[in-house]
Amino acid sequence: MKIVVFSAQPYDERSFDEVLQRDYASRGFELIYQKATLSVQTVALAEGSEAVCAFVNDQLDAPVLETLHGYGVRAILLRCAGFNNIDLEAARRLGLFVARVPAYSPEAVAEHTVALILALNRQIHRAYNRVREGNFMLDGLLGFNLHGKTVGVVGTGKIGMATARILKGFGCRVLGLDLYETAEFAALGEYVALDVLLAESDVVSLHCPLSDATRHLIGAASLARIKPGAMLVNTSRGGLIDTHAVVAALKSRRLSALAIDVYEQESQLFFHDRSSDIIDDDVFMRLMTFPNVIVTGHQGFFTVEALREIAETTLHNLDCFVSGRACGNVLAGDT
Ligand code: NAI
């Protein structure tokens, strides 16, 4: 059985090949790695396959799904947790099997979130450059103690909870917001309404999925209610933030700092080497000019453990589809 793996990077090939040979050598799965991002322009690469494997910036809208279905593709294997990039209604209509990797080391993303908070607060990105240039002055690098500060966690699921646990360990007061409140979070923090979370948090960290309800959750209106001088961190999905409004809030000093691992228009940039190109995204380039902004290119998940779990769960999902066994990770389809 042929499976085309879109947006494949060398590290994907290594981790998938390792798990394939270790656990599924006799199953006849043939993985065909394609660097291209899946879109209407590249969907033809899937011709002749029965399944495709997609990542966060692959576009699985109705036209792409219909073309895949026409080629004989019957299974879509998302090797990520978020599923905002697939039209599930269209997938169901076409009778496609769709499965995802609901959790791959939530601690990986939580630890990256905390790394961003610490780096931004203590200006590690600037200190690194200064020291390498022989400048040992401290002026301009002043941070604050995280101990005793209030951190607002929007979305207290697996990653939000792992983040809250670490920050609690730093001695922070942790506020939370979720549609479904859990006893696990309530044991270490306090659930509050969005307005209270925004008004009281020194650091606001986003961990809810992107949906119609959460798109631009942080925009001009919410930034007007955020505590003056708050730090904003987003390691969830770029669309949670209205970047224009955030740039305005940085310029007006309403926000003291911003760290993002995700960006609304990231598909043009992230996971590609654009170092020799003229980047024509003016909003992104404006962000790059702020000394109090750190951007990483969607690397929150990028640990040895998470890559292994992604490959293991994705191939397990495929095996369930092929053998008709029950699969707990299905978003659409029968098993
Ligand atoms: P999860 O499903 O365990 O938790 C998400 C939580 O958000 C749930 O508790 C849900 O009830 C809550 N939620 C949903 N809508 C909400 C709303 N309108 N307001 C407040 N809370 C809401 O998901 P998990 O594993 O914690 O992942 C969270 C997000 O992190 C994913 O959706 C994904 O976009 C992102 N992610 C980022 C990665 C990276 O590399 N930067 C890697 C993996 C996931």
Side-chain angles (χ1 to χ4, degrees), residues 40-309:
V40 177
Q41 285 76 36
T42 61
V43 66
L45 293 167
E47 213 168 346
S49 64
E50 288 150 81
V52 301
C53 178
F55 197 47
V56 290
N57 290 325
D58 290 313
Q59 288 165 33
L60 293 145
D61 50 20
V64 167
L65 293 175
E66 280 156 16
T67 309
L68 288 172
H69 187 263
Y71 291 153
V73 169
R74 293 294 174 264
I76 310 288
L77 307 159
L78 300 176
R79 58 180 192 282
C80 51
F83 48 90
N84 51 284
N85 55 336
I86 182 163
D87 184 336
L88 280 180
E89 226 175 272
R92 289 194 186 105
R93 177 166 44 79
L94 293 163
L96 291 167
F97 169 91
V98 182
R100 65 172 177 146
V101 183
Y104 40 97
S105 189
E107 289 76 18
V109 186
E111 288 170 16
H112 190 71
T113 303
V114 176
L116 289 174
I117 294 171
L118 291 173
L120 199 49
N121 173 29
R122 305 305 293 268
Q123 317 242 14
I124 304 297
H125 53 304
R126 302 181 65 210
Y128 175 83
N129 287 329
R130 268 196 200 184
V131 169
R132 285 177 76 93
E133 287 179 8
N135 176 358
F136 303 100
M137 290 295 289
L138 297 183
D139 198 27
L141 302 182
L142 191 64
F144 56 81
N145 285 8
L146 259 183
H147 185 95
K149 293 295 180 301
T150 300
V151 180
V153 175
V154 180
T156 60
K158 291 178 285 292
I159 296 170
M161 190 62 214
T163 305
R165 243 185 260 114
I166 299 172
L167 291 168
K168 186 72 183 172
F170 273 100
C172 296
R173 172 182 174 234
V174 187
L175 302 180
L177 169 71
D178 203 297
L179 301 178
Y180 306 98
E181 302 190 353
T182 65
E184 195 188 5
F185 179 83
L188 64 78
E190 189 189 333
Y191 278 112
V192 292
L194 180 62
D195 273 358
V196 177
L197 185 144
L198 293 174
E200 295 192 10
S201 298
D202 300 289
V203 178
V204 174
S205 193
L206 306 180
H207 301 286
C208 61
L210 178 62
S211 65
D212 289 344
T214 60
R215 188 174 303 277
H216 290 185
L217 181 74
I218 303 298
S222 43
L223 287 163
R225 305 197 302 271
I226 209 163
K227 183 172 181 176
M231 176 194 291
L232 177 64
V233 184
N234 185 12
T235 59
S236 190
R237 282 294 178 267
L240 295 178
I241 284 182
D242 175 351
T243 316
H244 284 101
V246 164
V247 166
L250 286 163
K251 283 167 73 178
S252 71
R253 318 299 197 265
R254 183 82 190 193
L255 281 179
S256 69
L258 170 76
I260 53 174
D261 185 48
V262 286
Y263 171 59
E264 196 164 13
Q265 312 302 335
E266 71 177 50
S267 60
Q268 304 302 315
L269 303 169
F270 291 3
F271 309 117
H272 304 289
D273 179 0
R274 301 285 312 269
S275 55
S276 303
D277 299 344
I278 307 291
I279 294 176
D280 55 12
D281 181 335
D282 292 350
V283 178
F284 185 81
M285 295 316 284
R286 179 65 179 103
L287 277 181
M288 293 296 94
T289 67
F290 290 100
N292 51 345
V293 170
I294 295 185
V295 180
T296 52
H298 209 136
Q299 71 174 84
F301 73 99
F302 198 51
T303 65
V304 174
E305 293 80 0
L307 284 185
R308 194 185 307 123
E309 286 172 44

Side-chain angles (χ1 to χ4, degrees), residues 16-29 311-320 325:
F16 271 84
D17 284 347
E18 193 185 313
V19 176
L20 191 66
Q21 279 154 28
R22 191 191 68 197
D23 297 340
Y24 299 96
S26 62
R27 305 289 282 138
F29 297 151
E312 284 173 351
T313 308
T314 304
L315 291 173
H316 164 79
N317 293 344
L318 174 67
D319 199 43
C320 290
R325 274 188 292 124

